[in-house]
């Protein structure tokens, strides 16, 4: 991809960073949970005896689990407000947390309700379970949906996920939609808070239909519209460093896509062995009206196959996503810290961020410095600085501490810091930056790890 640089002018004053919607979104989500508890309180009279306590606790857990299911799906509907303003990595962490809450609430609901019913009817736990599942309305579907959710939870556990293929995890994860559909009828048919209350039923329908609309629009219709409009295809593939390749993608009216330096898209290459996997890769150069570029390191089967892509291969993309953009800037100076292939989004920012910019690039050796020639050219063009942190001749890793960072950038606390790299690297650098006096609000980081 030929990069065309424009001459820098006087750096404008940094704009006030856009206010993150994190707090309002969290207030809405937790406010919904409070509303669910209020619904139970309104429809519950006195709680009498152990059976009443167990049943009441089970109802609360069930209502919260139903609400959590809706939140779980909404958080992965790829709503631009969340993905581009809060950050895809943070939203993904919220989704994972919501999943854990959902599974715990489901377990509590099932166990407590069945224990309460068994105490009320004077039957055993096993007999009561069979009676509820086989005889109660909508319970067969509800039980099937619950089993699916448990299976999704097991596959999503970190210890299990590390041992299964990404494609297997992904398609099992998609069964969440089926599970939510199967359990919805059970919630309205047996939930005493909904039976006979049209207002509560209407609110529940509005919640679930609203979430379904978000999924249909942003996960189906918006990507279809994007790909029909831009007609993406692989233009060229070339080697940047050992195991690192850049893919230039050609399309129509790409400036209308709204992609910004620092953002990523989810890419699906429509060729054998790759068409069933959608993988996030950052833009490694500022987008142009006809070209986009990503740079990929071979870390698995899918990323390794990128080197074998042929020109003309059709590409299906979703996005752009991510909040690691210039919109976060609040200072005149910026420090970009890249670890390995984490340099890709920072390469685009290095060229485009206004003001005084410094790049610190951590790699094992000079041969592993992907895009190094471009970084030097950008630094020369705009008068920026590039520092490299490479292993010593004996393989010893460089010491990236608060002290060494301040030595490289004396006024470090006056910088915005953009950080991208492996999870452990990013955590270590974050702690070092905080120890060096950089405010948390000026450390900007995104990670693709779930």
């Amino acid at each position: 991809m030929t990069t065309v640089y424009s001459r820098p002018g006087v750096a404008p004053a940094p704009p006030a960073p856009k206010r993150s919607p994190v707090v309002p979104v969290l207030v809405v989500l937790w406010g919904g949970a409070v509303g669910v508890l209020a619904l139970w309180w309104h429809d519950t009279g006195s709680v009498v005896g152990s059976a009443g306590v167990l049943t009441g606790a089970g109802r609360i857990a069930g209502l919260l689990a139903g609400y959590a299911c809706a939140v779980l799906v909404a958080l992965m509907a790829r709503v631009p407000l969340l993905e581009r303003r809060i950050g895809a990595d943070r939203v993904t962490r919220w989704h994972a947390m919501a999943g854990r809450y959902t599974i715990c609430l489901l377990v509590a609901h099932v166990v407590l309700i069945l224990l309460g019913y068994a105490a009320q009817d004077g039957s055993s736990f096993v007999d009561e379970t069979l009676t509820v599942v086989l005889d109660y309305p909508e319970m067969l579907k509800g039980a099937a949906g619950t089993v699916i959710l448990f299976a999704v939870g097991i596959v999503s556990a970190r210890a299990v996920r590390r041992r299964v293929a990404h494609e297997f995890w992904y398609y099992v994860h998609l069964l969440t939609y089926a599970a939510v559909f199967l359990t919805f009828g059970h919630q309205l048919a047996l939930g005493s808070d909904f039976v006979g209350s049209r207002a509560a039923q209407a609110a529940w329908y509005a919640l679930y239909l609203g979430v379904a609309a978000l999924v249909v629009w942003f996960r189906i219709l918006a990507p279809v519209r994007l790909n029909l409009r831009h007609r993406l295809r692989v233009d060229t593939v070339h080697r940047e460093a050992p195991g690192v390749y850049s893919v230039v993608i050609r399309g129509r009216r790409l400036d209308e896509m709204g992609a910004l330096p620092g953002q990523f898209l989810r890419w699906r290459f429509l060729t054998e062995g790759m068409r069933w996997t959608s993988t996030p890769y950052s833009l490694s150069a500022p987008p142009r009206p006809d070209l986009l570029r990503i740079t990929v390191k071979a870390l698995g089967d899918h990323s390794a196959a990128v080197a074998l892509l042929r020109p003309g291969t059709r590409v299906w993309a979703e996005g752009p996503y991510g909040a690691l953009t210039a919109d976060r800037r609040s200072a005149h100076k910026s420090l970009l810290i890249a670890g390995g292939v984490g340099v890709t989004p920072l390469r685009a920012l290095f060229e485009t961020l206004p003001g005084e910019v410094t790049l610190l690039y951590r790699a094992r050796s000079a041969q592993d410095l992907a895009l190094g020639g471009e970084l030097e050219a950008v630094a020369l063009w705009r008068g920026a600085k590039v520092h490299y942190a490479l292993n010593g001749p004996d393989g010893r890793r460089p010491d990236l501490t608060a002290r060494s960072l301040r030595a490289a950038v004396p006024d470090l606390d006056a910088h915005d810091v953009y950080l991208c790299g492996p999870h452990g690297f990013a955590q270590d650098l974050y702690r070092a930056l905080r120890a060096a006096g950089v405010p948390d609000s000026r450390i900007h980081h995104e990670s693709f790890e779930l």
Side-chain angles (χ1 to χ4, degrees):
M1 181 177 182
T2 302
T3 304
V4 179
Y5 306 116
S6 58
R7 287 292 172 189
V10 178
K18 292 183 179 179
R19 181 172 296 180
S20 171
V22 167
V23 173
V25 170
L26 288 176
V27 168
V28 169
L29 294 179
W30 287 108
V34 172
V36 168
L37 293 176
L39 175 64
W40 173 84
W41 182 269
H42 179 269
D43 293 324
T44 301
S46 59
V47 177
V48 180
S50 59
V53 170
L54 291 169
T55 303
R59 283 174 53 203
I60 292 174
L63 284 169
L64 289 174
Y67 174 71
C69 281
V71 171
L72 188 71
V73 175
L75 287 174
M76 292 311 288
R78 295 178 186 164
V79 180
L81 172 68
L82 304 180
E83 298 278 337
R84 301 176 191 175
R85 295 286 304 282
I86 293 177
D89 61 334
R90 179 178 287 185
V91 174
T92 299
R93 290 195 298 271
W94 287 359
H95 170 78
M97 184 181 298
R100 290 189 287 270
Y101 286 160
T102 301
I103 296 301
C104 291
L105 288 167
L106 274 175
V107 171
H109 169 64
V110 170
V111 173
L112 291 170
I113 280 289
L114 290 175
L115 286 174
Y117 285 178
Q120 182 177 312
D121 296 339
S123 61
S124 69
F125 184 83
V126 173
D127 289 340
E128 194 66 33
T129 300
L130 293 174
T131 300
V132 169
V133 171
L134 298 177
D135 297 340
Y136 282 38
E138 297 286 343
M139 267 310 305
L140 280 175
K141 290 194 296 183
T146 301
V147 170
I148 292 173
L149 285 173
F150 286 154
V152 172
I154 292 171
V155 172
S156 299
R158 185 169 298 180
V160 176
R161 187 176 175 186
R162 289 173 177 171
R163 291 169 171 78
V164 300
H166 173 80
E167 292 81 2
F168 177 78
W169 168 85
Y170 177 76
Y171 288 110
V172 170
H173 213 68
L174 288 180
L175 292 175
T176 301
Y177 297 123
V180 172
F181 173 78
L182 289 169
T183 58
F184 181 73
H186 152 69
Q187 297 175 53
L188 294 182
L190 294 179
S192 57
D193 302 283
F194 299 110
V195 176
S197 175
R198 291 188 176 182
Q201 291 179 14
W204 216 243
Y205 269 112
L207 172 65
Y208 274 76
L209 290 176
V211 170
L214 293 177
V215 171
V216 170
W217 182 261
F218 291 114
R219 302 234 21 192
I220 299 176
L221 298 181
V224 168
R225 178 175 177 269
L226 181 148
N227 287 279
L228 290 177
R229 170 181 288 186
H230 300 298
R231 304 285 183 177
L232 302 173
R233 289 184 181 271
V234 173
D235 187 69
T236 58
V237 180
H238 50 93
R239 183 178 180 272
E240 301 285 2
V244 180
Y245 290 82
S246 283
V247 182
V248 178
I249 297 159
R250 184 174 296 276
R252 303 183 306 180
R253 299 181 296 175
L254 299 182
D255 50 330
E256 298 177 7
M257 185 182 291
L260 300 174
Q263 290 188 312
F264 68 94
L265 290 89
R266 297 179 186 273
W267 305 93
R268 189 187 304 271
F269 299 100
L270 304 184
T271 187
E272 185 177 357
M274 302 183 74
R275 67 178 66 247
W276 301 113
T277 302
S278 174
T279 306
Y281 296 126
S282 296
L283 298 174
S284 62
R288 288 173 31 178
D290 60 337
L291 296 175
L292 300 172
R293 189 185 72 178
I294 59 175
T295 301
V296 180
K297 183 173 183 178
L299 298 173
D301 293 341
H302 185 274
S303 55
V306 166
L308 305 178
L309 287 171
R310 295 179 178 275
T313 299
R314 292 173 57 196
V315 182
W316 184 272
E318 300 176 37
Y321 303 122
L324 196 69
T325 66
D327 288 341
R328 290 190 172 186
R329 187 175 66 102
S330 61
H332 289 277
K333 301 178 180 181
S334 300
L335 170 64
L336 314 181
I337 305 179
V341 78
V343 74
T344 54
L346 301 189
R347 154 65 185 91
L349 285 170
F350 190 50
E351 180 180 338
T352 57
L353 272 177
E356 182 179 320
V357 182
T358 301
L359 173 68
L360 173 61
Y361 190 175
R362 164 77 181 103
R364 287 179 298 180
S365 66
Q367 290 74 29
D368 294 312
L369 293 173
L371 309 174
E374 292 185 13
L375 295 173
E376 294 287 351
V378 172
L380 181 63
W381 155 72
R382 64 176 299 169
K385 300 176 182 177
V386 180
H387 301 289
Y388 299 108
L390 307 177
N391 290 359
D394 58 353
R396 183 175 299 178
R397 298 166 62 90
D399 188 22
L400 295 179
T401 62
R403 182 177 180 179
S404 63
L405 291 173
R406 279 196 300 263
V409 185
D411 56 345
L412 180 58
D413 57 349
H415 286 66
D416 275 296
V417 181
Y418 290 79
L419 177 60
C420 190
H423 185 64
F425 167 85
Q427 282 189 322
D428 291 342
L429 263 295
Y430 175 82
R431 287 191 288 266
L433 289 166
R434 294 292 289 123
V438 181
D440 181 74
S441 61
R442 286 190 177 177
I443 302 175
H444 317 303
H445 169 247
E446 279 190 328
S447 169
F448 297 134
E449 295 195 21
L450 301 183

